[in-house]
């Protein structure tokens, strides 16, 4: 079965993604290099730790952030989905913020009682699906492990998993995504919903939170470092981040020596649309490790290690 608009990973590609070996990175190549990254809060800590692990120096320049809705009317679709939870077969959480928003509304309709909220979730018999390390967030917030967590931690990987277990045909799926405000919604989310429907599922998309650009003044210092040439690499990890960064910085103002990197095709597309000449794209687009490998390889091409020849 084929899927419209979404690259479904083969089992070989999935094995490759699982086996990203960070020991292959040349510590000497990245040691002391400054790597700026635009990753939003919630995921930035892990990427920062990885950058530090390979000897580089992280410079966090978040360009987008996900926030909860404030007005009750903004929760109307999510509230309706929570109250009719038993009508769905699967709930897909596309981010940790959607998990938290879902629980807060579940708690609200349970009169603030965690046990009532947990019982309502249990009685609904709905299966919960997450991607990657969000499984730990689900366990912490909802008190249960996910029913569905693909080995390949990506949206294509989730479709691949669901289609392989016959979990699409005839099932009704609730997909919780952020409402992208002031920026372009990622193509990957639209392709994801199309792929689920093409596989035979009935899909309902509900906004659980919102993604907005950060305030320019919040990243002024970091942007100044990037433009002035005090940074060696700029890594953009989503299309929204790249678009938001492009609204703050003219691509022509970036130093020629700056390596521009993107976490997979979605981020690359957003970066190129914003005018950035990306030279490093990770094929392991669901993993920060894969991106760091590609950055390390690009560094080695620009600065190949020299051999020391001793006199006889």
């Amino acid at each position: 079965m084929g899927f419209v608009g979404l690259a479904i990973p083969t089992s070989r590609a999935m094995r490759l993604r699982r086996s990203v070996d960070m020991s292959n990175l040349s510590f000497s190549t990245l040691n002391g290099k400054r790597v700026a990254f635009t990753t939003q809060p919630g995921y930035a800590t892990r990427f920062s730790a990885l950058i530090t692990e390979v000897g580089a120096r992280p410079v966090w320049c978040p360009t987008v952030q996900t926030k909860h809705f404030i007005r009750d009317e903004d929760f109307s679709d999510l509230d309706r989905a929570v109250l009719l939870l038993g009508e769905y077969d699967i709930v897909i959480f596309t981010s940790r913020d959607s998990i938290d928003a879902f629980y807060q509304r579940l708690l609200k309709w349970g009169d603030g009682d965690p046990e009532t909220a947990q019982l309502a979730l249990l009685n609904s018999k709905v299966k919960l699906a997450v991607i990657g390390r969000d499984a730990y967030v689900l366990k912490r917030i909802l008190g249960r492990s996910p029913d569905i967590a693909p080995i390949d931690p990506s949206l294509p990987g989730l479709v691949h998993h669901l289609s392989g277990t016959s979990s699409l045909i005839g099932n009704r799926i609730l997909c919780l995504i952020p409402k992208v405000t002031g920026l372009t919604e990622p193509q990957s989310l639209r392709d994801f919903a199309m792929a689920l429907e093409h596989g035979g599922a009935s899909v309902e998309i509900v906004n659980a939170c919102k993604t907005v650009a950060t305030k320019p003044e919040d990243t002024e210092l970091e942007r100044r470092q990037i433009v002035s040439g005090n940074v060696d690499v700029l890594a953009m990890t989503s299309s929204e981040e790249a678009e938001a960064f492009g609204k703050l910085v003219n691509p022509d103002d970036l130093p020629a020596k700056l390596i521009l990197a993107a976490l997979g095709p979605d981020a690359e597309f957003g970066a190129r649309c914003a005018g950035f000449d990306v030279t490093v794209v990770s094929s392991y687009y669901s993993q920060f490790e894969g991106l760091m490998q590609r950055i390390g390889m690009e560094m080695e091409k620009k600065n190949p290690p020299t051999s020391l020849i001793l006199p006889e």
Side-chain angles (χ1 to χ4, degrees):
M1 179 183 297
F3 290 90
V4 178
L6 196 67
I8 304 300
T10 63
S11 58
R12 179 176 180 273
M14 291 172 69
R15 288 196 300 272
L16 286 172
R17 288 180 183 178
R18 292 201 302 270
S19 61
V20 177
D21 184 4
M22 292 305 294
S23 65
N24 290 334
L25 280 176
S26 171
F27 186 92
S28 60
T29 299
L30 291 168
N31 189 32
K33 301 296 183 182
R34 297 174 67 85
V35 178
F37 58 107
T38 58
T39 310
Q40 64 175 298
Y43 299 93
T45 300
R46 185 163 66 90
F47 196 15
S48 179
L50 181 61
I51 293 170
T52 303
E53 179 186 332
V54 297
R57 300 169 63 185
V59 178
W60 186 34
C61 182
T63 55
V64 301
Q65 58 183 320
T66 301
K67 296 183 175 181
H68 291 310
F69 293 127
I70 297 176
R71 302 177 304 173
D72 277 342
E73 53 263 38
D74 292 330
F75 284 105
S76 57
D77 290 341
L78 182 56
D79 283 342
R80 180 178 52 79
V82 167
L83 292 173
L84 299 175
L85 197 57
E87 296 188 5
Y88 300 100
D89 299 292
I90 301 171
V91 177
I92 295 177
F93 300 98
T94 59
S95 70
R96 56 192 59 188
D97 295 287
S98 64
I99 298 173
D100 187 53
F102 174 82
Y103 177 66
Q104 293 303 322
R105 302 318 283 182
L106 193 66
L107 196 61
K108 177 184 183 296
W109 292 108
D111 296 324
D113 180 20
E115 291 188 6
T116 301
Q118 296 282 359
L119 186 61
L121 182 59
L122 183 64
N123 289 339
S124 72
K125 295 183 171 56
V126 69
K127 293 182 179 180
L128 307 182
V130 299
I131 296 171
R133 295 174 185 264
D134 287 353
Y136 300 105
V137 179
L138 186 79
K139 177 71 172 177
R140 174 172 56 82
I141 294 178
L142 292 179
R144 60 179 274 188
S145 298
D147 303 286
I148 301 167
I151 294 175
D152 175 45
S154 67
L155 294 180
L158 181 54
V159 175
H160 183 82
H161 176 89
L162 291 172
S163 61
T165 56
S166 302
S167 297
L168 290 179
I169 299 176
N171 278 335
R172 189 174 182 192
I173 296 177
L174 172 64
C175 187
L176 301 180
I177 68 171
K179 178 181 180 180
V180 181
T181 304
L183 299 167
T184 305
E185 183 180 72
Q187 182 65 38
S188 59
L189 288 178
R190 295 192 289 271
D191 290 345
F192 177 59
M194 288 175 60
L196 293 174
E197 291 177 343
H198 194 72
S202 173
V203 182
E204 182 174 352
I205 304 293
V206 170
N207 296 130
C209 45
K210 62 180 179 180
T211 296
V212 299
T214 54
K215 296 178 181 179
E217 57 268 27
D218 291 342
T219 58
E220 184 177 356
L221 177 60
E222 291 77 15
R223 284 185 283 114
R224 192 180 302 133
Q225 292 184 61
I226 295 170
V227 173
S228 65
N230 291 328
V231 167
D232 302 285
V233 180
L234 171 61
M236 293 167 277
T237 56
S238 76
S239 60
E240 309 103 297
E241 295 168 22
E243 181 183 352
F245 189 76
K247 292 182 177 182
L248 298 173
V249 175
N250 186 330
D252 294 334
D253 293 337
L254 295 178
K257 67 173 185 177
L258 180 67
I259 295 175
L260 296 178
L263 184 66
D266 206 45
E268 179 193 14
F269 178 77
R272 294 197 184 281
C273 287
F276 297 109
D277 185 16
V278 176
T279 56
V280 176
V281 182
S282 171
S283 58
Y284 308 108
Y285 66 94
S286 60
Q287 296 185 19
F288 293 137
E289 290 86 351
L291 181 58
M292 288 305 299
Q293 268 200 343
R294 289 297 179 91
I295 291 172
M297 292 166 61
E298 182 67 16
M299 282 283 190
E300 287 187 345
K301 283 199 309 183
K302 287 181 173 292
N303 303 287
T306 56
S307 300
L308 180 61
I309 302 177
L310 297 177
E312 296 182 359

